[in-house]
Amino acid sequence: MRAGFILFFTLVSGSLFGQNIITPQGEYMDTTLNISAHCAPPYNIFYYQIKGKYPVSSAILLADSKAFLKQKGGKYTGTGYVTFRFFIDCEGIMSRIRVMQTDENYKTIHFEKAFVNDLYQYLKTMDQWKKNIDVQNIKNANYMAYISFKIKNGEVVNIIP
């Protein structure tokens, strides 16, 4: 009975939260790097090198994230930045998500796990990333992108793509 409860809790909690892994290289919400078979191998190509900025304005993303967090109903605290760095494969799929958390002076801190998970869940709703990119001699290139949430007293006040 106890083993069944633990298995159930593990399965349910896994779908609600990001896979939080801390390594010497950093903290990750998702450590997998899933790249579709027809995509190029991963290179260090950044979104700004290929004009791959997310196609929705920061103002709209801010309003959407606030609505998303309000719908979640959490009471959040803290001031600083939560930044997600991730790969986008040639099909526009996000993977290998690293999370960096700092205070307003850019010193490493940790926000509440529930808050970071809610931001991560919002991030996963962003599905309009640039696809099928050809850069130099690389067809169907993958690229790295960042999204930073500026937090003031537990509220998202800006999004910096």
Side-chain angles (χ1 to χ4, degrees):
M1 174 76 168
R2 184 174 179 185
F5 176 76
I6 292 171
L7 178 62
F8 173 77
F9 181 76
T10 302
L11 292 173
V12 170
S13 66
S15 64
L16 298 176
F17 299 109
Q19 174 194 26
N20 193 28
I21 303 291
I22 298 175
T23 70
Q25 292 77 31
E27 182 176 351
Y28 294 85
M29 298 298 288
D30 174 8
T31 59
T32 60
L33 181 58
N34 297 323
I35 296 177
S36 298
H38 69 278
C39 294
Y43 296 99
N44 284 334
I45 300 171
F46 294 90
Y47 73 94
Y48 52 82
Q49 293 172 300
I50 47 108
K51 298 181 181 164
K53 182 180 176 286
Y54 197 72
V56 176
S57 74
S58 294
I60 292 172
L61 290 175
L62 177 61
D64 288 350
S65 68
K66 285 183 174 191
F68 184 89
L69 293 172
K70 185 176 181 179
Q71 183 257 342
K72 288 286 184 186
K75 300 291 182 199
Y76 310 113
T77 61
T79 297
Y81 298 87
V82 177
T83 300
F84 294 96
R85 184 197 77 184
F86 43 90
F87 284 93
I88 301 293
D89 77 2
C90 68
E91 294 181 342
I93 307 297
M94 185 184 309
S95 68
R96 186 118 196 231
I97 301 164
R98 181 175 180 184
V99 61
M100 296 160 272
Q101 303 171 58
T102 64
D103 65 14
E104 63 268 29
N105 296 314
Y106 304 107
K107 292 187 179 169
T108 300
I109 62 165
H110 289 279
F111 286 88
E112 299 168 51
K113 179 71 173 153
F115 188 23
V116 176
N117 274 316
D118 288 347
L119 291 172
Y120 172 72
Q121 287 179 352
Y122 172 72
L123 178 73
K124 296 295 274 184
T125 68
M126 297 172 65
D127 60 0
Q128 298 178 38
W129 295 99
K130 197 170 186 179
K131 302 175 185 177
N132 300 317
I133 296 167
D134 294 339
V135 57
Q136 295 178 357
N137 295 329
I138 305 169
K139 295 232 182 261
N140 292 326
N142 312 293
Y143 59 97
M144 205 178 306
Y146 297 83
I147 296 289
S148 290
F149 295 88
K150 183 176 181 181
I151 314 296
K152 182 95 170 168
N153 299 321
E155 180 182 349
V156 178
V157 295
N158 198 5
I159 293 186
I160 307 156

